[in-house]
Amino acid sequence: MCTLLVLFAWFGSGNDGWTWATASRVPVTSILTTTAPGRRNPPVGSAAPIESGEDVTVTKRLGVMGGTFDPIHHGHLVTAEEALCQFALDEVVFVPTGRPWMKTEREVTPAEDRYLMTVIATSSNPRFSVSRIEVDRPGPTYTVDTLEQIRVEAKGPVELFFVTGADAMLEIFHWKDPEEVLARAHLIAATRPGYDLTRFETEAPTAHPNVSVMHIPALAISSTDIRRRVEEGEPIRYLVPEGVQTYIEKASLYRRPA
Ligand code: ATP
Ligand code: MG
């Protein structure tokens, strides 16, 4: 159960009594768990009073879902949707990596193909979008730079939530400047089948107020397995969105070299 219908009110100056301000569907878990410090505005659904004359500009809660997406699959989409729901996010922007410097052991599919598959996979969800930030940036890309650029491009108050699997999140703490990432965004580490969460819990700074573990429905899907399946002629239907499967076929991706 992720949502709760909340009615809340304020006692505004000039009003003769309680004014019903709004009715909002908010996630129970967000009220309980999203306590990132430095928040200037109340979270979506907060019952904090609004003073007369106060700037009521609402800070956008923006999820940033990073990944190679080679190809994007339903595990990624479920993760982003759960983050939207559990953390009361307004939107999630998917950021396909440009040239991932951590995946040097294999040749990564051209960024343009991975970007297009991500656009296809997310197009039916009005709260999902895809950014070209890393695709268009030459050279290796770093999460901290991406978060900074997203903040600048948001052109308004924004609170960032970097969403990624617990496996990949642990890597962040081996990257350069993990403290800088933590200063820029709340980090949401999603559970993933086959990944032992106790490793994350012992090695990652889970006590940090900007780090959360997010439990999601288990989908044992990986891009590695999808690439292998295509290469070996096994089905990928229902593992990826239909349009992504069609794109893979049309662009002859992941086929065994002739
Ligand atoms: P690869 O096998 O090539 O590494 P992947 O399936 O891990 O691909 P990535 O693009 O590396 O996909 O993943 C982007 C993010 O999504 C990572 O943080 C990863 O942990 C997370 N993720 C991928 N698949 C799942 C899944 N099935 N459930 C939860 N999180 C996932
Ligand atoms: Mg991966």
Side-chain angles (χ1 to χ4, degrees):
M1 176 69 176
C2 195
T3 59
L4 173 70
L5 192 65
V6 176
L7 286 171
F8 62 92
W10 77 78
F11 207 5
S13 145
N15 288 327
D16 293 323
W18 288 98
T19 304
W20 291 109
T22 185
S24 166
R25 199 169 275 281
V26 299
V28 178
T29 48
S30 81
I31 296 170
L32 299 175
T33 63
T34 55
T35 54
R39 186 197 303 287
R40 281 175 294 139
N41 292 322
V44 175
S46 164
I50 299 170
E51 303 292 335
S52 173
E54 186 183 328
D55 181 3
V56 292
T57 308
V58 175
T59 298
K60 183 192 266 190
R61 294 166 67 82
L62 182 61
V64 178
M65 174 89 191
T68 315
F69 305 133
D70 191 13
I72 189 165
H73 54 68
H74 281 124
H76 299 130
L77 297 167
V78 165
T79 303
E81 183 67 14
E82 278 295 310
L84 266 178
C85 176
Q86 293 191 28
F87 289 82
L89 305 184
D90 297 302
E91 291 168 30
V92 173
V93 55
F94 288 68
V95 186
T97 53
R99 185 149 43 96
W101 57 272
M102 288 196 309
K103 296 205 177 188
T104 47
E105 74 279 6
R106 70 173 180 90
E107 200 168 313
V108 175
T109 303
E112 206 60 42
D113 287 317
R114 293 182 288 107
Y115 169 78
L116 287 173
M117 288 190 282
T118 309
V119 169
I120 291 166
T122 56
S123 61
S124 63
N125 189 327
R127 296 211 278 166
F128 286 174
S129 62
V130 188
S131 167
R132 293 188 60 90
I133 285 179
E134 296 198 357
V135 169
D136 289 341
R137 191 190 295 146
T141 53
Y142 297 98
T143 305
V144 65
D145 300 329
T146 299
L147 291 172
E148 195 50 41
Q149 197 170 338
I150 287 174
R151 183 181 299 282
V152 168
E153 289 180 5
K155 294 192 181 77
V158 67
E159 193 173 353
L160 299 179
F161 295 76
F162 186 68
V163 185
T164 195
D167 56 333
M169 187 67 80
L170 200 52
E171 301 289 335
I172 285 185
F173 301 108
H174 303 304
W175 295 351
K176 67 157 200 165
D177 303 330
E179 278 302 324
E180 278 199 51
V181 177
L182 278 165
R184 283 174 170 78
H186 191 103
L187 304 190
I188 303 175
T191 55
R192 184 174 186 179
Y195 181 74
D196 182 6
L197 202 58
T198 53
R199 189 172 162 224
F200 181 81
E201 285 166 344
T202 49
E203 292 181 31
T206 44
H208 193 290
N210 264 7
V211 177
S212 298
V213 172
M214 175 175 69
H215 291 267
I216 62 169
L219 287 178
I221 306 174
S222 74
S223 301
T224 300
D225 185 53
I226 290 164
R227 294 192 299 272
R228 182 198 61 75
R229 282 171 166 272
V230 174
E231 191 175 333
E232 296 180 11
E234 294 176 15
I236 59 167
R237 180 181 280 178
Y238 308 127
L239 297 175
V240 298
E242 199 175 329
V244 172
Q245 182 186 349
T246 305
Y247 187 95
I248 290 169
E249 288 163 4
K250 284 173 84 171
S252 303
L253 300 182
Y254 315 127
R255 295 229 185 117
R256 186 171 301 170

